[in-house]
Amino acid sequence: MDKHISPVGLDKAHRLLNHGPTVLVSASHDGVDNVMAAAWACALDFSPPKITVVLDKSAKTRELVEKSAHFVIQIPNAKQLNLTHEVGSRSLSNEPDKLTRSGVELFHIDGYDMPFVAGCSAWLACKLLPEPHNQQTYDLFIGEVIGAWADTRVFENGHWHFEKADPQWRSLHYIAGGHFYAIGDPLSIPGAE
């Protein structure tokens, strides 16, 4: 594992997703790995930490999540703009070499049988909390965060530090039609934690 990747306490895991970034969702089942981009993901609960993500019925990643009952939410950054757009625009069903063509490099973390996308700013390993009605009706998936990590060049001591990091580490926020924003300047309330 990269020397800059450090565990994040589960009590602070929600902070990795709280700022509303576009995420990458990865999953694996029966030797098949896939990664997709998702704009609709958010923190749901603190203890245990839970997240939600919308996975369309047509997405191969959704099928892998349903079969494996595990997935990873990653926070991509500005240097991964093209990769994020590519995995969100290509389908593994139509392009068996989607990950290679999109420039995705996967790695594994000991104790977690899930694919993690290299180069991201943060990773949340999740186990699926099955809610068949929500999944079928709303495409809404709930995951319990069972492991969390962040790159110390941009997240440390439970906080994002975008303003101190190289701009390539800023998170991506998808608008529409291939248009993204990178997170902007901080606005802080003095004395607030």
Side-chain angles (χ1 to χ4, degrees), residues 27-68:
S28 181
H29 179 72
D30 202 22
V32 177
D33 297 325
N34 200 26
V35 179
M36 65 176 277
W40 296 346
C42 71
L44 176 65
D45 202 353
F46 298 106
S47 184
K50 297 178 192 78
I51 59 94
T52 62
V53 64
V54 173
L55 304 173
D56 188 83
K57 290 172 185 64
S58 66
K60 184 71 171 176
T61 303
R62 175 185 173 140
E63 176 187 325
L64 299 175
V65 169
E66 290 175 326
K67 288 180 176 178
S68 70

Side-chain angles (χ1 to χ4, degrees), residues 19-22 39 75-76 162 170-176 179-184:
H19 64 296
T22 297
I75 312 301
F162 295 112
R170 291 185 180 232
S171 59
L172 299 171
H173 302 261
Y174 185 66
I175 304 304
H179 188 76
F180 293 79
Y181 281 96
I183 196 162

Side-chain angles (χ1 to χ4, degrees), residues 123-146:
W123 302 262
L124 297 142
C126 301
K127 72 175 178 179
L128 178 64
L129 299 177
E131 291 286 345
H133 174 73
N134 287 343
Q135 291 167 207
Q136 285 303 102
T137 305
Y138 306 111
D139 297 331
L140 183 69
F141 285 71
I142 300 173
E144 180 181 331
V145 179
I146 56 175

